[in-house]
Amino acid sequence: MDQNNKKHISHDTGYVWLAGAGPGDAGLMTLKGADLIRQADLIVYDALISAEILSMIPPEKETVYVGKQAGYHAVPQEKINQVLVREAKKGKKVLRLKGGDPFVFGRGGEELEILAREGIPFEAVPGVTSSVAVPAYAGIPVTHRDYASSFHVITGHAKKDGTPDIDFDALVRLRGTLVFLMGVASMGQILDGLMRAGMARDMPAAVLERGTTARQRRIVSSVGTLKEEAQRAGIQAPAVIVVGQVCALSETFCWAEKRALGGRQFLLTRPRQNMSVLAGRLRALGAQVIEMPAISTQVISPNRKLKEELSDFAASHREKWLVFTSPIGVAAFFGQLAEMKLDIRQVFCMAGKAKIAAIGRATASSLLERGLVADLVPEVYSAAALGEKLADQAGTGSDILVARAEDGSEELLPPLLGAGFRVKDVPLYRTVCEMHPLLRQKIENLLENGEIDAVTFTSRSTVRGFAQAVGNPDFGRIQAVCIGEQTAGAAAEYGMETVISDEASTDSLVEKIVELYGNSQEERYDII
Ligand code: SAH
């Protein structure tokens, strides 16, 4: 526990946050919820938490899954209560993360009762509830001045005898929008009950499956026909049933599926450190994005080889080039200099004529942030182009120190060695894979069900990291969108279908994804 938090939370008994994670789209997680993911010592979550949200949990964080697993029942509520109490009493800060809002049919009240009884301090952190957000993503406003002046959220969960305990007469009299959660299994009884209580057969009604996620589906119909249409479409839980005039607005207002990448889900395998830009761009276009935490970079430290090579480099009287191939490499390099207490002037200003080459724009701007202007950046951002251009420009007999990832591209060195330079290849960082087993399982299931449209790869090491992390899926069914020929080559070796972005940049990768997976203008208006 860091000092800061100790000041806020003075209880040695630990703490529990009962928080809602929203209905699936990671953008609907509250700022407070996202912050708690970082603060908590332990996260206790269940089945409704989407892979997109799970991927926000750092891999080293302790987690307990208390939802259903294939073939097993959900963990009984009593067991969940026990976990919360036991872990909080150990002094842990526990984040109890639930789908939607914790108090809307989330049994949050029961969990607080036990915490209160045990004297464990807690906070309730509301979430965006599916009862409002799922209709919103289907273009259904739950109230509207002209059509509904109230909305009512009702559980469709059946009692032991199989019938839901609902006062249909009272509901029909309210004349507001009715939102049923947990109602897929008893949909027939709900709709019949409403009609028996006097609701018109042609009252608009909708069932909305997996709302706010890439796989959301909506059936908009009427009370008299919804069940049959839902059955025909094979609608399954989780889904909400909405009954009321406002459902008729869906055709005009539905917007989520019409976004350029609406209905698409991508798995990004970039190292965590520089993932958010690509993820943000794809999300802004409507995609659901799982940021695979399997792959992160680990700086090699202490780096004896770097130290030795740098001292040779500094002392050399020839023309000499320091070569960078990624922003992470630049950061790792300067981190190591700081650790070695080595002044940059000792590297560049001792002897000879030192120059710097960068593989592309992002790497060059990382250097610029540190006061270094790259002398050479190839027009085409690739390892091969960098090697060729440098071979062309460097003076005869130059010393070249390549500071990059372990296992870097094989295409960089041959042109340099071919030109007779003295080349030193110094690894600064390596790619490591770590992932929660449950997130792994979730990702494996998504891949198996064809629910991931494509996986993006930006280097060979991300391909390898991904393959190591996900076990042995049917690689032939995976579409890989890659930066660079080599990356694509590595993906193809596993049997993946590959596409290469035109340029080695995030912009170009996004363009390629929109070109391949974007909804065409017509399609955007033609979903269910
Ligand atoms: N606390 C949650 C509801 C828990 S009850 C909330 O506030 O949203 C579980 C029910 O919520 C499901 O059976 C389904 O009816 C509904 N639900 C939750 N997430 C959903 C989603 N993404 N799409 C459709 N229905 C959802």
Side-chain angles (χ1 to χ4, degrees):
M1 190 183 276
D2 71 18
Q3 286 308 312
N4 237 348
N5 281 321
K6 251 192 185 144
K7 263 183 244 151
H8 293 306
I9 303 164
S10 55
H11 307 272
D12 293 334
T13 50
Y15 205 80
V16 176
W17 291 285
L18 176 67
D25 178 347
L28 297 181
M29 174 95 175
T30 64
L31 291 176
K32 190 162 184 179
D35 188 49
L36 293 176
I37 285 184
R38 287 184 285 273
Q39 279 193 47
D41 298 316
L42 170 70
I43 301 176
V44 180
Y45 67 98
D46 41 43
L48 278 176
I49 310 297
S50 66
E52 187 179 25
I53 287 176
L54 288 183
S55 75
M56 291 160 64
I57 302 176
E60 64 280 4
K61 189 77 71 177
E62 191 187 349
T63 58
V64 178
Y65 175 69
V66 291
K68 264 187 212 157
Q69 278 191 49
Y72 297 93
H73 283 297
V75 177
Q77 187 62 45
E78 225 159 79
K79 268 250 168 78
I80 300 175
N81 296 348
Q82 278 168 14
V83 171
L84 298 180
V85 170
R86 188 185 65 222
E87 298 299 319
K89 282 195 168 168
K90 286 184 195 162
K92 286 187 190 164
K93 292 174 291 165
V94 180
L95 174 59
R96 170 69 175 114
L97 202 54
K98 286 170 172 284
D101 179 273
F103 290 154
V104 179
F105 303 125
R107 306 190 70 171
E110 290 162 61
E111 292 178 18
L112 291 196
E113 271 165 23
I114 179 106
L115 295 175
R117 199 173 329 131
E118 296 281 339
I120 293 165
F122 57 80
E123 252 176 73
V125 182
V128 174
T129 174
S130 63
S131 53
V132 175
V134 169
Y137 270 53
I140 302 175
V142 288
T143 72
H144 186 291
R145 267 174 78 100
D146 299 335
Y147 307 112
S149 56
S150 66
F151 72 96
H152 312 273
V153 183
I154 306 127
T155 173
H157 192 67
K159 291 180 299 184
K160 283 222 166 67
D161 68 2
T163 55
D165 183 15
I166 300 173
D167 181 345
F168 290 107
D169 292 319
L171 286 184
V172 172
R173 224 175 300 124
L174 289 164
R175 296 155 58 95
T177 303
L178 307 177
V179 183
F180 295 90
L181 303 192
M182 297 180 280
V184 175
S186 44
M187 186 185 304
Q189 285 150 312
I190 292 170
L191 298 171
D192 287 346
L194 291 171
M195 287 188 283
R196 264 201 312 271
M199 186 174 275
R201 274 183 71 80
D202 62 357
M203 172 65 84
V207 59
L208 314 169
E209 183 190 68
R210 297 173 71 181
T212 82
T213 73
R215 288 294 172 264
Q216 78 169 41
R217 291 201 296 164
R218 70 193 158 90
I219 306 284
V220 182
S221 172
S222 66
V223 171
T225 50
L226 185 67
K227 182 172 175 234
E228 199 190 316
E229 289 192 33
Q231 267 176 347
R232 201 176 321 130
I235 293 288
Q236 287 179 0
V240 304
I241 300 167
V242 189
V243 176
Q245 298 288 356
V246 287
C247 293
L249 296 167
S250 176
E251 274 322 296
T252 322
F253 288 170
C254 69
W255 55 274
E257 306 126 1
K258 293 179 187 167
R259 293 169 296 174
L261 292 176
R264 299 296 187 185
Q265 177 151 256
F266 301 102
L267 185 60
L268 311 194
T269 64
R270 308 189 74 172
R272 177 170 280 280
Q273 291 95 322
N274 51 11
M275 192 140 54
S276 49
V277 178
L278 179 59
R281 295 279 304 278
L282 296 176
R283 284 193 176 122
L285 293 167
Q288 198 165 22
V289 177
I290 303 167
E291 301 181 61
M292 191 159 157
I295 297 152
S296 62
T297 53
Q298 193 178 64
V299 174
I300 298 170
S301 173
N303 193 331
R304 289 240 315 276
K305 178 157 190 204
L306 178 67
K307 193 170 184 179
E308 284 165 24
E309 296 297 352
L310 274 182
S311 88
D312 284 356
F313 185 84
S316 162
H317 285 273
R318 306 156 179 257
E319 177 176 325
K320 50 196 176 184
W321 286 81
L322 195 52
V323 181
F324 292 98
T325 62
S326 68
I328 298 176
V330 173
F333 179 82
F334 281 89
Q336 284 305 294
L337 287 194
E339 220 158 87
M340 295 181 227
K341 296 254 175 335
L342 191 58
D343 190 302
I344 189 72
R345 289 170 297 183
Q346 278 171 273
V347 178
F348 288 116
C349 310
M350 300 273 285
K353 187 171 154 202
K355 293 189 173 184
I356 299 176
I359 195 165
R361 205 169 11 185
T363 308
S365 62
S366 295
L367 287 163
L368 200 57
E369 279 165 22
R370 292 164 172 91
L372 298 172
V373 180
D375 299 279
L376 180 153
V377 182
E379 272 129 46
V380 181
Y381 301 155
S382 76
L386 175 64
E388 278 153 27
K389 182 127 193 215
L390 185 54
D392 211 34
Q393 284 203 5
T396 316
S398 288
D399 274 328
I400 295 184
L401 196 162
V402 181
R404 61 174 180 168
E406 190 175 81
D407 226 359
S409 166
E410 279 166 9
E411 291 182 353
L412 177 60
L413 303 189
L416 300 171
L417 294 168
F421 300 121
R422 300 201 314 183
V423 182
K424 295 285 159 60
D425 190 9
V426 182
L428 297 179
Y429 60 94
R430 58 176 67 103
T431 306
V432 290
C433 305
E434 37 180 353
M435 181 155 64
H436 283 310
L438 282 160
L439 178 58
R440 171 182 308 159
Q441 198 180 55
K442 208 153 188 163
I443 288 175
E444 281 171 3
N445 290 345
L446 292 174
L447 287 169
E448 206 163 290
N449 299 339
E451 292 187 29
I452 307 263
D453 293 287
V455 185
T456 67
F457 296 106
T458 52
S459 67
R460 290 188 312 168
S461 59
T462 59
V463 176
R464 245 173 265 137
F466 168 77
Q468 267 174 39
V470 295
N472 203 7
D474 180 358
F475 282 111
R477 287 179 52 200
I478 297 178
Q479 305 211 10
V481 183
C482 305
I483 281 187
E485 297 272 354
Q486 282 224 328
T487 309
E493 271 173 37
Y494 285 97
M496 294 183 231
E497 256 182 61
T498 62
V499 188
I500 305 174
S501 68
D502 298 339
E503 258 188 60
S505 69
T506 304
D507 285 350
S508 180
L509 199 60
V510 172
E511 262 169 41
K512 192 52 117 196
I513 287 173
V514 172
E515 180 191 316
L516 292 171
Y517 303 98
N519 297 317
S520 70
Q521 209 60 28
E522 286 142 51
E523 269 173 347
R524 285 183 208 178
Y525 289 84
D526 189 29
I527 295 170
I528 297 195

